[in-house]
Amino acid sequence: MTAVAWGTLMSAGFADASAQSCSVPVIKVLAQKSLGLTVMEKTLAEYEKKSGTKVQISYFGENDRRSKARLDASTKAGSYQIYYIDEANVAEFATAGWVVPLLKYLPKDADYDDFLPGRRAVASYKGVAYFAPLIGGSDFLFYRRDLLEKAGIAVPKTLDELVAAVKKMNNPPNVYGWAARGQRGSGMNVWRWAPFMLAAGGKWENNGVPAFNSPQAVKATTLYRELFKYSPPGGATYDWSNALEAFRSGKVAFMIESTPFADWMEDPKKSSVVDKVGYVRPPAPLPSAAYGHGLAISATGAKDECTRQAAGKFIAFATGKEQEQARLKDNVFSDYNRTSTINSDYFRKHVKPQIQAGLTDTTPVSRVTIWPSPEWPDIGDNLGVVLEEVFTGTRGDVQSALDEANEYATEVVSRAKKRK
């Protein structure tokens, strides 16, 4: 047995199979592919041998994973004992009672408090933890160090400074000042727009009533739309991958994107900006949008205490400290979630100093920026459609566009209240 596997098993509370208080022959997991799980599977057979529990993992794409978990839970089919969930649906699953509070069944040796504060925040709903993170991150301001130095422009520390620098650096078709997500979707344009809205003083709701059509939200939306004037052609419908490819092709000076994508910039096989990028916290007052995906215990699939304990022990194994170290040694530097990981000697030795500096800078301002509502997926996706229309110029009146999206959200919330 490898040292990694043995340490992981012990941290999950296994001395041997007989140490279990009850026997669970099979645990089924509904999951989404991630490099972290791929690395974990290398020691899964050893875990199964020690635990006495066979683990069957079914992988699906993000949208299918969400819909299949929702169907399995809402119909009480209970085909899976563990769900892979994320910041976008944790409120929905927790409110519906589809997942159980995690910490009651997660072994104490799993050291949940070692997870980064931003990860714990997105894994919780109303202060209760429901999943253990597998992947996650927050936001960096990505900027071209070489271009700013050549132009004599300081790294922006405020949003006003960023806007001014974007305009100064814009020199199409050689270099564009800005790239961002404009494509519709709660996880696309809404995700990137939300920090701007909150930074302007906007709010998602007032006493449970949608309120994201305020003057502050209009101001933020107008600014976000204006920045697309300094983006590559078609930028107003970019998804995250389009923005990243534009930046690492060397055509963009500034971009706010998720922290794990720093690896994309430093990939010598695919990036033309290796060692030319700086990483800092988003300019004040922008918050850094925290996100996380992880494993939760199904309330229906894991009906009894014994099964829930077995599910908790597997989650401890899959998200443990030793697994994160194994990922690092497998050159997976983006799937980290723990304080002990970023403070480890291996991380400090192998992750570029500019990325480490950025993480230190960003962690204090990381927070949940989406509306933690059970109805969020519906509300967010509808808002994304409206925002795309604004960003592409299909709709010119920002106020009326946000009024329409806010009215839709109000109807969704009202219907939900009537069902309860």
Side-chain angles (χ1 to χ4, degrees):
M1 176 175 292
T2 65
V4 168
W6 176 255
T8 303
L9 293 171
M10 292 302 290
S11 72
F14 289 107
D16 53 46
S18 64
Q20 295 184 82
S21 58
C22 52
S23 176
V24 177
V26 179
I27 289 287
K28 295 183 178 180
V29 184
L30 194 162
Q32 178 180 324
K33 272 287 185 185
S34 76
L35 291 173
L37 287 177
T38 301
V39 173
M40 179 276 297
E41 287 185 341
K42 295 181 180 181
T43 52
L44 182 57
E46 297 170 71
Y47 172 85
E48 292 174 329
K49 182 179 179 180
K50 276 289 177 180
S51 67
T53 298
K54 180 75 174 176
V55 180
Q56 298 177 356
I57 306 176
S58 298
Y59 290 109
F60 301 94
E62 183 168 309
N63 289 335
D64 283 346
R65 178 265 298 173
R66 286 186 179 136
S67 62
K68 287 181 181 296
R70 186 177 291 114
L71 181 65
D72 185 75
S74 63
T75 62
K76 300 188 183 299
S79 299
Y80 301 91
Q81 287 69 56
I82 294 174
Y83 296 140
Y84 181 119
I85 64 175
D86 55 49
E87 77 290 331
N89 59 7
V90 62
E92 175 190 6
F93 277 57
T95 300
W98 294 342
V99 290
V100 301
L102 178 66
L103 297 188
K104 179 179 179 181
Y105 302 103
L106 193 74
K108 291 183 179 180
D109 287 348
D111 194 4
Y112 193 82
D113 288 342
D114 183 52
F115 286 113
L116 293 162
R119 305 291 197 277
R120 283 182 275 134
V122 297
S124 302
Y125 179 62
K126 294 186 175 180
V128 177
Y130 284 96
F131 70 82
L134 274 167
I135 65 172
S138 52
D139 287 344
F140 280 148
L141 171 66
F142 292 69
Y143 68 93
R144 286 287 300 279
R145 287 185 295 160
D146 56 332
L147 296 183
L148 266 63
E149 289 171 5
K150 185 177 180 180
I153 296 175
V155 179
K157 293 185 178 180
T158 68
L159 183 54
D160 288 342
E161 290 175 359
L162 173 63
V163 173
V166 164
K167 294 177 180 179
K168 289 181 180 179
M169 292 302 303
N170 194 57
N171 183 30
N174 297 319
V175 177
Y176 295 88
W178 176 250
R181 305 183 198 185
Q183 187 179 99
R184 64 185 60 186
S186 59
M188 289 294 175
N189 54 11
V190 179
W191 184 265
R192 283 282 143 252
W193 166 87
F196 281 74
M197 186 267 289
L198 297 172
K203 297 180 180 179
W204 283 112
E205 50 84 23
N206 282 321
N207 297 319
V209 179
F212 53 84
N213 61 338
S214 65
Q216 295 90 339
V218 171
K219 179 182 178 182
T221 308
T222 302
L223 172 59
Y224 198 93
R225 178 178 64 181
E226 180 185 352
L227 286 171
F228 283 115
K229 296 177 181 178
Y230 310 99
S231 296
T237 56
Y238 271 6
D239 63 13
W240 59 265
S241 63
N242 299 140
L244 290 166
E245 291 299 345
F247 192 95
R248 72 176 180 177
S249 73
K251 292 289 187 179
V252 175
F254 293 102
M255 174 181 69
I256 294 177
E257 262 302 341
S258 300
T259 52
F261 291 135
D263 286 356
W264 288 44
M265 303 305 128
E266 305 298 339
D267 183 348
K269 295 180 180 179
K270 298 180 179 179
S271 175
S272 64
V273 295
V274 175
D275 288 326
K276 297 179 180 179
V277 183
Y279 311 95
V280 293
R281 71 178 66 186
L286 291 175
S288 180
Y291 74 93
H293 295 195
L295 301 177
I297 301 173
S298 164
T300 304
K303 295 182 177 66
D304 57 83
E305 292 292 299
C306 180
T307 304
R308 292 179 180 183
Q309 289 173 17
K313 289 175 180 177
F314 171 73
I315 291 172
F317 161 74
T319 64
K321 298 177 183 179
E322 292 84 355
Q323 284 296 337
E324 291 211 354
Q325 287 298 310
R327 295 174 209 166
L328 295 182
K329 293 172 184 177
D330 214 43
N331 295 315
V332 178
F333 296 106
S334 56
D335 282 0
Y336 60 83
N337 302 281
R338 291 178 171 272
T339 301
S340 59
T341 300
I342 63 175
N343 289 338
S344 68
D345 291 340
Y346 197 91
F347 192 88
R348 289 173 173 169
K349 182 177 180 180
H350 290 84
V351 176
K352 292 191 173 183
Q354 60 265 35
I355 298 178
Q356 295 185 50
L359 292 172
T360 300
D361 196 30
T362 298
T363 297
V365 294
S366 298
R367 54 175 285 202
V368 178
T369 57
I370 61 173
W371 187 5
S373 164
E375 288 70 50
W376 168 250
D378 189 4
I379 292 171
D381 284 341
N382 180 73
L383 174 59
V385 173
V386 172
L387 288 178
E388 185 185 87
E389 292 173 348
V390 170
F391 301 153
T392 58
T394 304
R395 302 181 69 144
D397 189 334
V398 175
Q399 182 69 69
S400 67
L402 292 182
D403 286 345
E404 180 184 305
N406 200 79
E407 182 179 351
Y408 178 85
T410 301
E411 292 173 358
V412 170
V413 171
S414 178
R415 289 197 301 267
K417 288 180 179 179
K418 290 178 180 178
R419 290 195 298 266
K420 294 178 180 178

